[in-house]
Amino acid sequence: MKESIAILGSTGSIGTQALEILEEKDQLFDIVALSANNNYHLLAKQANQFRPDHIILVNQKHRLEFENLLSYKPKYISYGSSGLNDFALNGDYDLLLNSLVGFAGFMSTYNALKRDKKVALANKESLVVGGQLISETDAFKSGKLIPVDSEHSAMLQCLVGEKSEDIQKIVITASGGPFRDFSIDQMGEITVEDALKHPNWSMGDKITIDSSTMMNKGLEIIEAKWLFNIDVDRIEPVIHPQSVIHSIVEFKDGSSKAQLGPPDMKVPILYALTYPDRVEFPNQTLDYSEAFNLNFYPVNLKQFPGLKLAMNAAKEGGYAPAVLNAANEIAVNRFLKKEIRYIDISLIIEKSLETIERDKVLDPQALFEIDKQTRNYANTLLR
Ligand code: MN
């Protein structure tokens, strides 16, 4: 029997690419659920094509218009974030592809793992904010959480057949974003339009900004720490502008393994869906008939203060990554709305980390409280 897949965040960049893969490879999965936050037009179009039993639309404002766009009658339509949380907890699926954006995605990952389901994880915040809680679930310990992100997929692929105690270091590659060659002064002049242009990857607005500040790499370092149970001190970011090597694992005998490919998220998405197997797919491959270079540059943490803050928060552990993540989400959002300058993003994060108290015992409820408190605080700064 075919396994069933639920795709949360099906209208986003990862969700739409996953559906393109599943359209081509329709023998792989039954698509049993799709969800979107706001984009009800695309959600209805996807639902009409793939006919899942369950559809979840978080923003209920266009409920009627949405239902009118459907050309079939699904078994369940749910609304609101409660609909989303309820689905992970009670819905029928074998694999959950979590491509939700932001901390809103954590509960779905956690609830699915608590039920011993497999999760293909594209939601960074699940591990950034809730890594400790997630790492304590039995499903996580038995390898049921599979990363979708290109860097973590690369690490996983390098680690197949290896023992985790043999890892000496993980080298996580970063494109460096569009401002890699900027001076500190130039960083002060960056506009929203400048920051939304990413040289290699095409992604949503939030992650494009995070990539330009290198906060994205900071969040990925926190994820890698949990996924591969490795100290942050042994994870080294390096700028690799071509985004061809997606990450490197160095072993205790001095040997390194890297995973390579053109920058295309379909490769790691497909791998997460079929792991530990590989499936034939017409993805583009590297062309060695023409000369090309692969370059590496050390990261200047003064130029990218957000990355430094993230590495410190990762070392501190506890609720520090939750504060970092919430403050960053608010700051990026405010930058996109042109309320603050580009360089204020890291200032807001730094101030939040200095101010928000966080010496409580770790549990999901308190995570939500710290998250909310940080958001309120980060929203008042520089007003
Ligand atoms: Mn990535």
Side-chain angles (χ1 to χ4, degrees):
M1 224 184 75
K2 263 201 247 182
E3 288 207 310
S4 63
I5 185 170
I7 304 180
L8 302 188
S10 65
T11 59
S13 164
I14 300 290
T16 49
Q17 292 182 80
L19 285 173
E20 281 166 33
I21 291 172
L22 294 173
E23 186 178 16
E24 176 111 6
K25 290 276 167 193
D26 59 0
Q27 71 279 24
L28 285 180
F29 289 99
D30 273 328
I31 300 171
V32 290
L34 296 173
S35 95
N37 201 13
N38 286 309
N39 193 347
Y40 68 94
H41 277 281
L42 182 54
L43 181 64
K45 188 168 170 257
Q46 293 175 337
N48 290 337
Q49 182 182 352
F50 296 100
R51 302 193 160 236
D53 285 344
H54 203 134
I55 314 177
I56 306 136
L57 178 62
V58 176
N59 184 346
Q60 346 206 357
K61 207 167 127 200
H62 299 284
R63 206 173 161 138
L64 283 179
E65 294 97 315
F66 173 65
E67 288 183 27
N68 282 333
L69 290 171
L70 292 176
S71 61
Y72 76 113
K73 208 159 169 45
K75 277 195 198 144
Y76 312 96
I77 307 180
S78 16
Y79 294 95
S81 44
S82 60
L84 204 55
N85 288 339
D86 187 59
F87 177 80
L89 209 49
N90 302 305
D92 199 6
Y93 57 89
D94 298 312
L95 172 66
L96 184 86
L97 171 58
N98 184 346
S99 45
L100 297 169
V101 177
F103 179 52
F106 163 74
M107 274 322 280
S108 299
T109 304
Y110 188 60
N111 286 335
L113 291 172
K114 283 242 154 197
R115 292 175 68 196
D116 208 31
K117 301 284 190 188
K118 282 192 289 184
V119 177
L121 187 67
N123 172 259
K124 289 205 154 74
E125 293 75 8
S126 292
L127 280 172
V128 168
V129 178
Q132 185 157 346
L133 291 166
I134 281 173
S135 71
E136 287 162 4
T137 63
D138 290 337
F140 177 85
K141 289 178 195 156
S142 57
K144 290 189 175 165
L145 183 70
I146 306 123
V148 169
D149 207 350
S150 59
E151 293 80 358
H152 305 89
S153 177
M155 295 167 200
L156 179 65
Q157 293 180 59
C158 291
L159 285 168
V160 167
E162 304 287 354
K163 300 189 194 88
S164 66
E165 63 264 33
D166 291 344
I167 304 173
Q168 181 156 274
K169 182 162 99 177
I170 289 179
V171 180
I172 184 166
T173 53
S175 72
F179 314 127
R180 178 169 64 86
D181 298 321
F182 276 33
S183 66
I184 310 262
D185 285 346
Q186 283 175 299
M187 298 295 281
E189 308 296 318
I190 293 165
T191 64
V192 172
E193 291 72 23
D194 297 333
L196 285 178
K197 285 181 217 130
H198 193 280
N200 301 344
W201 300 95
S202 141
M203 308 171 289
D205 285 358
K206 159 78 168 49
I207 185 169
T208 301
I209 303 294
D210 282 350
S211 167
S212 80
T213 61
M214 288 195 74
M215 176 53 79
N216 184 48
K217 215 43 57 180
L219 301 178
E220 290 178 354
I221 287 174
I222 303 175
E223 288 182 275
K225 161 190 143 149
W226 291 114
L227 276 169
F228 304 108
N229 189 24
I230 181 169
D231 286 344
V232 179
D233 293 328
R234 293 197 291 145
I235 308 174
E236 183 180 359
V238 64
I239 292 182
H240 166 49
Q242 293 89 358
S243 299
V244 165
I245 291 187
H246 302 308
S247 275
I248 299 163
V249 179
E250 187 183 287
F251 296 94
K252 64 183 182 189
D253 62 356
S255 175
S256 291
K257 282 163 88 174
Q259 188 264 342
L260 292 75
D264 178 356
M265 282 308 293
K266 277 197 180 151
V267 175
I269 294 169
L270 178 66
Y271 190 71
L273 297 180
T274 62
Y275 174 84
D277 299 326
R278 289 193 187 270
V279 168
E280 200 174 333
F281 199 81
N283 278 316
Q284 198 202 328
T285 55
L286 292 170
D287 177 7
Y288 299 98
S289 68
E290 304 269 356
F292 65 94
N293 290 313
L294 298 179
N295 300 102
F296 297 92
Y297 304 91
V299 181
N300 175 0
L301 291 176
K302 287 210 175 68
Q303 191 187 354
F304 299 105
L307 176 56
K308 174 100 185 152
L309 291 168
M311 289 164 81
N312 288 342
K315 277 180 215 159
E316 182 188 318
Y319 290 105
V323 172
L324 174 97
N325 175 69
N328 180 55
E329 266 189 48
I330 294 296
V332 168
N333 200 0
R334 291 181 61 194
F335 170 68
L336 287 169
K337 288 195 285 186
K338 305 192 176 177
E339 285 177 25
I340 57 168
R341 297 168 304 168
Y342 187 76
I343 49 173
D344 294 332
I345 297 174
S346 64
L347 293 178
I348 287 180
I349 301 166
E350 188 174 14
K351 193 87 185 105
S352 300
L353 281 164
E354 278 168 21
T355 309
I356 301 292
E357 299 216 14
R358 48 180 183 275
D359 46 3
K360 296 179 196 160
V361 178
L362 204 66
D363 74 70
Q365 187 52 42
L367 266 185
F368 277 91
E369 281 158 23
I370 296 258
D371 177 82
K372 199 167 165 225
Q373 202 188 338
T374 307
R375 280 166 203 271
N376 290 338
Y377 179 72
N379 250 320
T380 61
L381 287 170
L382 303 170
R383 283 233 187 254

